Amino acid sequence: MATLAAPPADTDLRVFTDPASVAVVGATSDPAKWGYWLAKGALSGRHRREVYLVNRSGAEILGEASHTGLGELPATPELVALCVPSQHVGAVVDEALALGARGFLGITAAVPEEREIADRIRAAGARLVGMNSLGLYDSSAELHLAWGNFTPGPIAVVSQSGQVGSEISLLAARAGLGVSRFVSIGNQTDLRAAELLDDLIDDDATRVVALYLESFTGGAEVVAALSRLRQAGKHTIVLTVGASAASSRLARSHTGSLTSSLDVVDAAMRVAGAVRVATPAELVDLARLLLSAGLPGGGRVAVVGDSGGQTGIAADVVAAAGLTVPEFSVDLKAVLEQRLPSGAANSNPVDLAGGPGDPARAGDLGPAARVDRPGGRGCAGSRCAAGRRWHLRHCRARAFPAAHNPGGRRPE
């Protein structure tokens, strides 16, 4: 594949990852309001940057003095977070632009003349994330301008829905993974997904990129950005809606988005080298697999488990995915016969028949499998999490080198 050139950036997006200073306009001591959570998060990084809290009453917030307006600040903030009522957003933006602010994070939703405000921001050489954003987080730069808590890790989340992005981040933390960067793009009034994806290419902390979109407007740019991420060695996983009329209606009311045909999305993801999943849980499961085992090197899969029924179902799932579960060679079956209890199936799938104990130890059979024409990579799988649909990515087991793919065909 030819190397794809990134589009020229007219603004350095570092202001959204590691700004020298931040102002939270609409900061408050009320935990029921967004301004509280952004103020709290911003203050957690004050050892790294200047943090200014702006509240028209000038009240003390979280033990810190606040300013009644941007004009009272001792210096111009690089990044301004907008947590004010919608009718005041335009005036705050104009004041910040006059002072020389370079970036805006628009938390407020239903902003009057939203597009016109974005035009003024762009005309001044500044940029906007949002409106209707849940916030920003960057683990490396210790920037926390979002609702909720984040655990540092290798997954970057770019999400049109703040709550879906938060769910992915929470599930990633529970899986022991965590988040390198979080960007809730909201209405994409100015900055769009493709630009923010491109900004992740050189982020060393990011190994997997999770993207949730309700609309693929400008889809060619998104596909090109995903392709560049794959060329940079980062795995890309996409979640979207539109499989039902109901989800399409909701997307139109949620972020004003028109959903795309999933067949079209799937074709685009194949071009980009990305994988589309159906749920946040599936996304995190796949991310965990990719981080621990990497991409398979062939289309041949070994299935190992502690239940004949479950390994049989797993074999069917593998076949439905266009992969193969080849019968092991005579030499490999002889090795497995020595290691497995009497009565265990050893031809692939492998049913441990009660041994070697904990099903998680199925991965211990990996070294034995290498004797059977090594070169490909496959998955060992047995139990699936209760309540989830049967899917190879949900099998609780480890990937290990399996049989070689003699035809050289790469799996889809």
Side-chain angles (χ1 to χ4, degrees):
M1 179 187 297
T3 300
L4 297 166
D10 47 8
T11 297
D12 180 5
L13 298 187
R14 183 198 55 80
V15 70
F16 297 109
T17 57
D18 192 13
S21 56
V22 171
V24 179
V25 184
T28 176
S29 58
D30 183 353
K33 295 184 177 180
W34 285 97
Y36 170 86
W37 293 99
L38 266 72
K40 181 179 179 182
L43 289 170
S44 69
R46 60 184 165 180
H47 61 284
R48 187 178 178 113
R49 61 184 57 86
E50 294 292 333
V51 176
Y52 306 116
L53 306 182
V54 179
N55 180 290
R56 60 184 179 180
S57 71
E60 183 178 281
I61 299 171
L62 295 167
E64 298 291 325
S66 69
H67 303 267
T68 58
L70 288 171
E72 286 193 359
L73 301 183
T76 298
E78 232 187 0
L79 176 62
V80 176
L82 303 166
C83 305
V84 297
S86 59
Q87 66 271 23
H88 299 307
V89 168
V92 173
V93 166
D94 289 339
E95 183 180 10
L97 288 174
L99 293 171
R102 309 306 300 162
F104 293 87
L105 170 61
I107 301 296
T108 308
V111 176
E113 300 181 338
E114 182 174 317
R115 296 292 175 184
E116 291 79 1
I117 292 171
D119 289 342
R120 297 202 296 272
I121 290 172
R122 287 291 295 264
R127 301 303 301 269
L128 164 72
V129 169
M131 305 285 185
N132 192 24
S133 169
L134 188 143
L136 301 168
Y137 168 79
D138 190 281
S139 62
S140 299
E142 300 176 275
L143 177 69
H144 189 159
L145 286 172
W147 175 85
N149 299 309
F150 295 88
T151 299
I155 302 176
V157 179
V158 177
S159 179
Q160 195 166 2
S161 164
Q163 293 296 345
V164 170
S166 291
E167 182 181 2
I168 293 170
S169 302
L170 176 61
L171 292 173
R174 289 177 178 173
L177 300 178
V179 172
S180 57
R181 188 178 296 178
F182 172 92
V183 185
S184 169
I185 58 179
N187 295 349
Q188 303 185 87
T189 317
D190 174 27
L191 274 169
R192 304 188 67 81
E195 292 176 85
L196 294 161
L197 291 170
D198 271 319
D199 198 47
L200 289 164
I201 290 174
D202 295 323
D203 182 41
D204 293 337
T206 296
R207 296 173 57 198
V208 173
V209 177
L211 173 65
Y212 172 77
L213 283 181
E214 293 174 358
S215 167
F216 278 84
T217 301
E221 290 78 13
V222 172
V223 171
L226 290 171
S227 297
R228 287 188 287 270
L229 283 165
R230 283 298 305 124
Q231 289 177 345
K234 300 180 191 295
H235 302 295
T236 54
I237 309 174
V238 176
L239 179 63
T240 189
V241 293
S244 67
S247 68
S248 297
R249 287 196 305 272
L250 183 63
R252 287 194 294 273
S253 65
H254 181 206
T255 55
S257 301
L258 295 175
T259 59
S260 302
S261 162
L262 292 187
D263 288 341
V264 174
V265 173
D266 286 342
M269 293 307 99
R270 286 194 292 271
V271 170
V275 178
R276 183 179 69 83
V277 295
T279 67
E282 186 179 358
L283 188 154
V284 173
D285 281 346
L286 178 56
R288 179 166 49 185
L289 174 63
L290 292 171
L291 287 165
S292 63
L295 288 173
R300 294 159 66 87
V301 178
V303 178
V304 183
D306 64 337
S307 161
Q310 290 177 328
T311 51
I313 293 173
D316 286 345
V317 171
V318 170
L323 306 173
T324 60
V325 183
E327 183 175 359
F328 288 150
S329 67
V330 173
D331 290 341
L332 177 55
K333 286 192 282 188
V335 172
L336 295 178
E337 186 175 358
Q338 297 298 317
R339 299 187 59 176
L340 297 177
S342 175
N346 61 7
S347 63
N348 196 22
V350 174
D351 174 12
L352 300 177
D358 183 352
R361 291 182 58 196
D364 295 342
L365 297 178
R370 292 191 186 100
V371 307
D372 199 31
R373 292 177 295 171
R377 291 188 65 86
C379 289
S382 69
R383 297 178 181 174
C384 291
R388 297 182 184 175
R389 66 191 180 93
W390 283 95
H391 193 289
L392 187 61
R393 294 176 191 136
H394 290 154
C395 291
R396 288 190 199 159
R398 301 177 182 177
F400 64 81
H404 172 61
N405 176 7
R409 182 183 66 85
R410 293 188 61 81
E412 297 295 323

